[in-house]
Amino acid sequence: MRLGQNVGHGSDVGRVRPINEDFHRVWQFPLPGGDLTLLAVADGMGGAAAGEVASKLATEVLDESFSRYVEEVRAGRPVVGIDKLIDKALRLANRRVYAEAFSKQNRRGMGTALTCVAILKRRAYVGHVGDSRAFLVRGKKIYQLTKDHSWVEEQVALGNLTEDQAENHEWRNLVTRVLGTRPTVAPDVIELEVQVGDVFVVSTDGLHGLVKPEEILAEIKRTDNRQTNVEVMLALANERGGPDNITVVIAEMDA
C-alpha cells in the first residue's frame, strides 16, 4: 500500500488570528518492504510565537523519531512496532515542548494538539493528543478515527450533553489533553487495516469546527484531485468566518 501522487495539504491563517500556529507535514520514507507514509497536523496554543513553537517542535520530534526508526530498519536492527513508536514519539514530544515552555518565561503554558497517521503495507496507525482529528473515507462513508480530548467530548461520553448541545456549547474549545502543558501525557494510538482507495483526512479544529464530516465526504467524492479538495475546504472554512487557523492533509492510498 502506497501513497502515490494523490495527496493534498494546506494551511491558512484564517480571518481572525494574527499568525498561523498550526504546523503540518507529509513524509514518505522508502523501506525495503514498501514505503512508510506519515501524515501529521499540529495545532499550537499559547499565543504570540509560543503556539507556533510548540506545534513545530512536536512535529520535528515526530520526524526525528521516524527517521531514526527507518535507519534502524535499513540497518537490519530490531525495532519496536509502529504503534509503540508513535506512543514513544508523542510522549517524547510532550517532554520536549514542556521543557521548552518551562525554560523560557515567554513560552510558559504553550502546548499543541498533534494527530498523525502512519501507513505501512496494509496497516495504518493513528496517534492522537488534543482536538485535531483523523477521518477515514471508505466507499460512501466517512469515519472519525479519533476522539477529541475536550471537555464537551467527555460530557457527551458521560451522557451529560447531546451531540447537538456539544456542537454549540460555550466550552466546546476547552481542550483537556495536549502536548506540553504537563510533564507526562497519555496518547491515543489505534491500528486499522488499509484498503485500496481509502482516503485519510487529518485536520485541525479550524477546519472540522466549521466543516461537518458529511461535507468533507461530499467534497472527497466530488473530485479525486486531493489538492483541490484541500483548497475547497480551506475556502469554505474561511467563508464561514475563519476564526481559527485552518489546516488539512488528505491522502488516498493506491495498490
Side-chain angles (χ1 to χ4, degrees):
M1 199 66 62
R2 60 192 176 85
L3 186 60
Q5 300 303 310
N6 219 349
V7 61
H9 60 92
S11 188
D12 193 277
V13 69
R15 294 189 166 183
V16 175
R17 300 291 175 88
I19 62 169
N20 194 342
E21 295 182 302
D22 288 356
F23 205 82
H24 74 284
R25 287 288 301 274
V26 177
W27 299 264
Q28 195 146 33
F29 302 95
L31 284 174
D35 292 345
L36 170 59
T37 298
L38 181 61
L39 322 168
V41 302
D43 182 357
M45 48 169 263
E52 185 183 24
V53 169
S55 60
K56 186 172 186 287
L57 184 57
T59 309
E60 287 172 347
V61 172
L62 200 60
D63 187 5
E64 175 189 313
S65 299
F66 271 80
S67 296
R68 191 179 303 128
Y69 172 88
V70 168
E71 287 173 12
E72 296 294 303
V73 171
R74 287 176 180 159
R77 290 191 280 268
V79 291
V80 299
I82 292 179
D83 55 341
K84 291 186 174 59
L85 170 65
I86 289 175
D87 182 80
K88 288 175 180 291
L90 295 189
R91 290 175 189 269
L92 176 59
N94 181 75
R95 291 197 297 274
R96 290 265 183 92
V97 175
Y98 182 79
E100 180 72 14
F102 191 78
S103 67
K104 294 183 174 63
Q105 184 69 36
N106 64 339
R107 293 177 179 171
R108 294 283 168 88
M110 75 174 183
T112 183
L114 178 63
T115 301
C116 65
V117 180
I119 303 141
L120 181 63
K121 298 178 183 176
R122 303 195 71 87
R123 308 298 294 174
Y125 307 82
V126 182
H128 171 67
V129 176
D131 62 350
S132 294
R133 289 180 183 173
F135 298 93
L136 169 65
V137 175
R138 177 175 287 172
K140 297 179 180 179
K141 293 187 177 181
I142 185 167
Y143 305 90
Q144 185 177 326
L145 301 176
T146 54
K147 281 193 174 181
D148 295 352
H149 295 143
S150 66
W151 183 85
V152 294
E153 184 68 36
E154 290 174 0
Q155 295 307 305
V156 169
L158 291 169
N160 296 333
L161 288 177
T162 65
E163 293 284 357
D164 288 342
Q165 288 171 328
E167 192 173 317
N168 299 304
H169 199 281
E170 60 181 337
W171 289 356
R172 65 185 178 279
N173 295 321
L174 182 59
V175 184
T176 54
R177 198 187 315 176
V178 292
L179 298 178
T181 58
R182 296 176 182 171
T184 60
V185 74
D188 291 347
V189 182
I190 65 167
E191 179 181 349
L192 64 149
E193 187 177 349
V194 179
Q195 297 179 8
V196 176
D198 279 353
V199 180
F200 289 94
V201 180
V202 193
S203 63
T204 58
D205 69 330
L207 180 86
H208 57 253
L210 296 170
V211 181
K212 295 181 182 297
E214 54 267 30
E215 294 177 307
I216 295 173
L217 174 63
E219 173 56 26
I220 294 290
K221 290 301 176 187
R222 185 185 67 82
T223 174
D224 60 5
N225 185 316
R226 301 308 170 208
Q227 189 59 43
T228 297
N229 294 154
V230 167
E231 288 161 11
V232 167
M233 289 183 202
L234 293 177
L236 185 55
N238 270 319
E239 282 171 21
R240 293 175 179 176
D244 199 353
N245 306 145
I246 314 153
T247 301
V248 60
V249 176
I250 303 175
E252 182 173 345
M253 306 317 298
D254 293 342

